[in-house]
Amino acid sequence: MPLIPQEWLGSHVELPEDLSPAQLAAALVKVGLEEETIHPGAVTGPLVFGRVLSREPKKQSNGKIINYCRVDVGQYNDEPGTGREPSELPSRGIICGAHNFEEGDTVVVSLPGAVLPGGFEIAARKIYGHISDGMMCSERELGLSDESAGIIVLDDAAAASVELGSDARQFLGLPGETLEINVTPDRGYCFSMRGVAREYHHSTGARFTDPGLADTPLPEATPTGFPVRVEDNAPIHGQPGCDLFVTRVVRGVDPAAPSPAWMARRLQQAGQRSISLAVDATNYVMLDLGQPLHAYDLDKIRGGGLVVRRAKAGEKLTTLDDVERSLDPEDLLITDNGGERVLGLAGVMGGADTEITAETSNVLVEAAHFDAVSVARSARRHKLPTEASKRFERGVDPAVAGVAAQRVVDLLVEYGGGEATDEVFVYGQVHQLPALAFPVADVERLTSLQLSEDRIAEILTDIGCTVERGGAVWSVQPPTWRPDLVGSAHLVEEIARLEGYDAIPTAVPTAPAGRGLSPAQRQRRDIARTLAETGWVQVLTYPFIPAARFDELGYAADDERRTAIALANPLQDEANLLRTSLLDTLIPVASLNVKRGNPAVAVFEMGTVSRPAGISPAPIPVAGQRPSEEEIAALHAAIPAQPHHVAGVACGPRTAARAGYPVETWDWRDAVEAGRRAAGMLAEVSVRAANQAPWHPGRCAAILAGDRVVGYAGELAPAVCKALDIPARSVAFEVNTDAALPENVEPAAVKPVWTSPVAKEDLAFIVDADVIAGDVRAAIVAAAGEALEDIELFDVFTGDPVPEGKKSLAFALRFRTDHTLTAEETAQVRHRVARRMRKDFGAELRA
């Protein structure tokens, strides 16, 4: 995010003298530029000018000569201090080891409470037998230079212009508090002082001078210009990687010429270090105008020209950070005229072969306009975000390229003693953005702002648009630095932003009449509430599992639950599949609870699972354009089925041990009952014996809605309990709630409540040993008719007197209707049941 030095910003827009970074942030946030942070100054606390009144050299026992000085620091002379030494002079006593000053010199003094770069805190200290109540500073101590021959001493002219005790930061160019802003992707022009100054003008109305306009006409291209060819044979989305390229040549630059102090200071305040004049000039103009530039050592370029092309397979480039990078055919390159030597990654970073060095005297200046998508892809591919790339990928103003190149040339001529030759080359031209049809009524329709047409035109003109008024629909051409303005709604947003969001009237829409919860939502809440009321606790698990989970759960090789979606970028490499059953993730949660000291566990979860069987992968559509209808249909066809399930796992005791009461444990019947309750909220259900992993063979029940199996419940297989480290004889259930209510199954109906007395019958039938009790129960229910209120299997008996190969099933039946049943009516029901049992199972009624 860009740092905004106020002194630099003030060169483009009028700023109040007492403007603080916090006030600047408040002004910018009104137009959508958020404050990231306010950085403290390089030096905090009192840093002031002082005059040496006396200097007393004293030789120490170690042979070192130090100076005990009295320094006049103006208003700070009388400030209370710690251990202040008495003196007749209005001053402070300061110990100094430097010797490049005399009495009467004006110096820079840091007083107690100041903090210098590196966290060096200034305090009153006793040194060499005296109290040093401050410190006279050198350039190195203030971070102004890496080397220092002594303390800072002002010349006579500078000393006459400053006041003793006044703040020395601005005079020295030390950055004070500096605002850092957050720039959204659509406001790339604000990665420059030019853009931020314009926004401050929009916010406050302060006078703005556009530095992107040339002071004098730019030189025309000449036949001797350093030529550039663009050979983009594989443009991305049909957009050429480069549509504008300006080159300028400056010869005879003094390699040892330093950057001017004001430029180095501004770069430092903006968070960049000074390197050399040529490099600093390109960086400075980029930060000022937003146009990335590059300076080449002209003498190192072969062939007398440049070629912009896509990379070839196997090509490599050593960039300025000394990293060798393998290039991709999508990368846009700048090469020498032969096209073989790669000089840079266009819009991202230059190469080491032609970088500016301490011997460079002839400089080629480049200012180009590269395609945002091409630059963004290269920067991400090589993990190389640079100051240039983050500007190009957000959109750079092509109209400023020539101005920026001229500014660099001027700086090299003025401060480096170079000669601006007539070698001027321009490839391409500045392309204006297309005009937009702008229905003026959209302003009020979209924002409720009631503005005059003159005010609307004023705002659009102020942001740089060319407005052709006439009728209900205007023609508005966005400025070249606003590629984000591509529709009428964007223009309305700009008008609302600059008029002020607080000016938009508040209009609370009328809430539509609620329809309440959908049937599916009501059903799922009913299921969750029912399970919670019977002792189950709802949990939420991550739907990602390892491939080994299917083996742990004992799924057969051809089980459809083994077909799972694999994630391309999983949170954990070992858990890269989407679950196909809730038990895939729920059983490990129950195991974790037990390991954490929770012996009694009964957890359930409601959620979706993925069943990708039968789908075909769809090709990924090309980015940057709307997929065709066929591609959209293929994407929909590639989405797996995601049915909603409810599942639960329980183990351990259901009740705590108490004196006089036996401990109840969760068993398979609890799981079956929970599954029946869950599915029973959706439809009439029944159960029958089944064999399904991960349940124990012979201790598993299928849950049916009509004739459809919608779930399973029972005791988990011993091998599963061992593999997933869960107590033996743990129980579980899982129900497909989407399948529990298909179109051909009637939803559960509420039975009437009768107040008449109940009639009871206990019937025991002798059937073959392989007959399923659930089938017998279903036959009894069908034969008993509507009078049957409840039925329970209360006894299963084998042995004498029941014949071998047979078993006795005893059921308790309860009958109730809207009247008191007579003995004859209950006898008729008993006879109907007995006949049905003889017919279906050859059963005999046991006496």
Side-chain angles (χ1 to χ4, degrees):
M1 297 297 104
L3 295 169
I4 312 299
Q6 288 183 203
E7 180 262 341
W8 191 349
L9 186 68
S11 64
H12 303 320
V13 66
E14 192 173 25
L15 300 179
E17 290 185 3
D18 59 348
L19 182 69
S20 68
Q23 291 170 328
L24 175 61
L28 294 178
V29 79
K30 288 171 58 179
V31 288
L33 295 178
E34 296 181 358
E35 171 191 339
E36 183 73 18
T37 188
I38 295 178
H39 295 274
V43 176
T44 59
L47 182 73
V48 301
F49 294 109
R51 179 169 293 126
V52 180
L53 300 180
S54 66
R55 172 187 174 190
E56 183 181 351
K58 293 187 177 183
K59 187 173 183 178
Q60 305 302 309
S61 58
N62 59 5
K64 182 177 181 180
I65 297 177
I66 62 98
N67 300 297
Y68 176 67
C69 308
R70 300 300 302 187
V71 182
D72 181 0
V73 287
Q75 60 180 319
Y76 291 95
N77 290 330
D78 300 326
E79 185 181 77
T82 301
R84 184 78 55 83
E85 293 186 342
S87 174
E88 296 179 356
L89 301 174
S91 58
R92 291 198 180 206
I94 296 178
I95 300 294
C96 183
H99 302 284
N100 66 317
F101 66 99
E102 300 294 339
E103 292 182 2
D105 283 345
T106 301
V107 296
V108 177
V109 181
S110 57
L111 299 176
V115 180
L116 304 189
F120 182 64
E121 299 180 5
I122 304 299
R125 295 183 175 90
K126 189 169 185 179
I127 307 173
Y128 300 114
H130 289 278
I131 296 295
S132 184
D133 203 19
M135 185 178 78
M136 290 186 281
C137 301
S138 67
E139 290 187 1
R140 182 174 184 177
E141 289 162 340
L142 296 179
L144 297 173
S145 173
D146 293 336
E147 298 181 1
S148 180
I151 65 171
I152 300 172
V153 178
L154 276 64
D155 58 29
D156 293 341
S161 67
V162 302
E163 180 182 351
L164 299 183
S166 62
D167 196 304
R169 290 176 183 79
Q170 185 172 358
F171 178 88
L172 296 172
L174 288 171
E177 288 187 323
T178 307
L179 171 66
E180 181 180 359
I181 61 173
N182 183 17
V183 178
T184 54
D186 61 334
R187 308 280 289 282
Y189 63 95
C190 289
F191 275 99
S192 67
M193 296 301 148
R194 176 196 186 202
V196 176
R198 188 188 304 276
E199 291 303 307
Y200 184 81
H201 155 74
H202 292 325
S203 175
T204 65
R207 183 171 54 85
F208 167 66
T209 302
D210 188 356
L213 302 177
D215 298 329
T216 59
L218 297 176
E220 299 289 337
T222 64
T224 59
F226 196 85
V228 177
R229 298 198 320 272
V230 176
E231 300 176 351
D232 187 359
N233 299 321
I236 298 175
H237 301 160
Q239 183 70 30
C242 176
D243 57 8
L244 180 66
F245 205 114
V246 177
T247 62
R248 297 291 303 276
V249 174
V250 182
R251 298 183 183 272
V253 177
D254 181 2
S259 298
W262 62 267
M263 183 191 297
R265 181 179 71 249
R266 286 185 174 183
L267 288 173
Q268 180 188 23
Q269 291 171 345
Q272 294 204 7
R273 64 187 180 90
S274 177
I275 299 174
S276 66
L277 176 59
V279 175
D280 289 356
T282 57
N283 286 339
Y284 176 79
V285 174
M286 176 186 68
L287 294 177
D288 195 42
L289 301 182
Q291 169 67 54
L293 301 109
H294 190 69
Y296 300 86
D297 187 326
L298 180 63
D299 298 329
K300 296 179 181 177
I301 300 178
R302 303 169 188 166
L306 298 177
V307 177
V308 181
R309 62 170 175 81
R310 298 288 171 179
K312 302 173 184 176
E315 279 192 299
K316 297 182 182 296
L317 167 66
T318 299
T319 45
L320 288 173
D321 56 357
D322 292 327
V323 176
E324 185 180 68
R325 303 179 185 275
S326 298
L327 301 176
D328 185 273
E330 263 197 359
D331 289 331
L332 189 69
L333 307 179
I334 298 174
T335 70
D336 56 23
N337 199 27
E340 298 303 321
R341 189 173 60 140
V342 181
L343 305 183
L345 196 57
V348 182
M349 184 177 283
D353 286 349
T354 55
E355 69 175 317
I356 300 294
T357 65
E359 290 76 36
T360 300
S361 60
N362 298 322
V363 178
L364 174 68
V365 178
E366 164 210 311
H369 185 258
F370 298 113
D371 176 51
V373 174
S374 182
V375 172
R377 289 191 180 182
S378 290
R380 283 157 179 73
R381 182 180 300 114
H382 296 286
K383 297 180 175 61
L384 193 60
T386 63
E387 292 295 327
S389 69
K390 70 184 180 184
R391 285 167 172 80
F392 276 123
E393 66 186 50
R394 289 166 172 82
V396 167
D397 181 7
V400 83
V403 178
Q406 182 64 48
R407 294 280 168 84
V408 174
V409 170
D410 292 342
L411 290 170
L412 294 178
V413 170
E414 181 177 357
Y415 296 102
E419 177 189 357
T421 70
D422 61 355
E423 299 167 275
V424 180
F425 184 86
V426 179
Y427 167 84
Q429 60 183 354
V430 176
H431 295 285
Q432 299 295 329
L433 295 173
L436 306 175
F438 176 54
V440 185
D442 278 0
V443 176
E444 183 173 356
R445 181 177 68 86
L446 296 176
T447 67
S448 296
L449 286 172
Q450 296 181 355
L451 304 177
S452 67
E453 291 190 357
D454 289 343
R455 175 57 178 157
I456 294 173
E458 177 187 358
I459 294 175
L460 293 177
T461 302
D462 199 29
I463 65 174
C465 294
T466 301
V467 181
E468 293 184 10
R469 301 169 60 173
V473 180
W474 296 356
S475 176
V476 178
Q477 185 178 58
T480 51
W481 61 84
R482 294 300 302 270
D484 57 301
L485 301 180
V486 295
S488 171
H490 298 138
L491 299 177
V492 173
E493 182 182 9
E494 287 297 289
I495 292 168
R497 181 174 70 89
L498 299 190
E499 183 67 16
Y501 293 124
D502 54 349
I504 298 176
T506 301
V508 180
T510 303
R515 298 183 178 180
L517 300 175
S518 67
Q521 289 174 322
R522 288 197 299 271
Q523 292 159 2
R524 291 170 186 174
R525 292 192 182 190
D526 289 343
I527 293 172
R529 185 167 51 251
T530 297
L531 292 174
E533 289 172 351
T534 53
W536 298 78
V537 177
Q538 188 171 11
V539 298
L540 185 65
T541 65
Y542 285 110
F544 312 119
I545 61 170
R549 184 61 42 82
F550 301 141
D551 293 329
E552 295 169 344
L553 292 173
Y555 293 169
D558 59 349
D559 195 314
E560 67 172 3
R561 290 173 293 178
R562 281 186 175 270
T563 304
I565 294 288
L567 301 178
N569 186 25
L571 293 177
Q572 295 178 307
D573 291 338
E574 65 274 12
N576 65 329
L577 302 180
L578 284 177
R579 67 186 176 194
T580 57
S581 164
L582 291 185
L583 295 181
D584 296 347
T585 56
L586 195 56
I587 295 176
V589 167
S591 173
L592 182 62
N593 271 268
V594 174
K595 293 175 183 176
R596 295 290 172 85
N598 182 13
V601 176
V603 293
F604 78 95
E605 181 175 7
M606 304 182 73
T608 59
V609 299
S610 297
R611 294 295 179 87
I615 67 170
S616 299
I620 302 300
V622 177
Q625 62 187 32
R626 186 182 187 279
S628 66
E629 295 301 327
E630 292 75 14
E631 289 174 323
I632 294 175
L635 289 172
H636 283 296
I639 299 175
Q642 299 178 68
H644 186 272
H645 283 207
V646 57
V649 178
C651 60
R654 291 186 59 184
T655 58
R658 291 194 179 102
Y661 294 92
V663 174
E664 297 181 12
T665 59
W666 293 94
D667 66 15
W668 64 271
R669 291 168 294 186
D670 298 313
V672 173
E673 181 61 22
R676 288 183 60 181
R677 284 177 179 267
M681 302 300 298
L682 308 174
E684 295 287 352
V685 298
S686 60
V687 298
R688 72 180 184 201
N691 186 8
Q692 175 83 344
W695 286 276
H696 193 310
R699 297 178 184 173
C700 173
I703 301 172
L704 295 88
D707 59 354
R708 294 171 57 90
V709 175
V710 298
Y712 295 91
E715 182 179 307
L716 292 172
V720 173
C721 294
K722 182 178 180 181
L724 292 172
D725 200 14
I726 193 171
R729 311 207 70 169
S730 296
V731 300
F733 72 90
E734 182 164 11
V735 173
N736 183 341
T737 57
D738 286 348
L741 193 57
E743 294 180 358
N744 61 339
V745 175
E746 291 295 327
V750 178
K751 295 183 178 180
V753 178
W754 305 119
T755 59
S756 52
V758 65
K760 301 179 181 179
E761 287 282 346
D762 289 345
L763 301 177
F765 295 97
I766 298 176
V767 297
D768 292 340
D770 59 355
V771 171
I772 298 173
D775 294 341
V776 175
R777 183 183 184 281
I780 294 175
V781 170
E786 296 182 356
L788 182 64
E789 181 181 75
D790 188 34
I791 178 173
E792 293 291 342
L793 175 67
F794 69 88
D795 183 59
V796 178
F797 178 76
T798 57
D800 190 50
V802 176
E804 187 175 352
K806 301 285 187 177
K807 64 181 177 182
S808 171
L809 302 177
F811 294 88
L813 285 65
R814 294 167 57 92
F815 301 99
R816 196 192 314 257
T817 62
D818 58 350
H819 63 278
T820 302
L821 292 170
T822 64
E824 291 182 359
E825 288 175 319
T826 55
Q828 290 175 0
V829 173
R830 184 171 59 249
H831 293 322
R832 288 203 305 272
V833 171
R835 286 198 301 272
R836 180 65 177 267
M837 294 298 295
R838 284 195 296 273
K839 177 182 177 182
D840 290 355
F841 305 104
E844 298 180 7
L845 186 62
R846 183 181 174 193

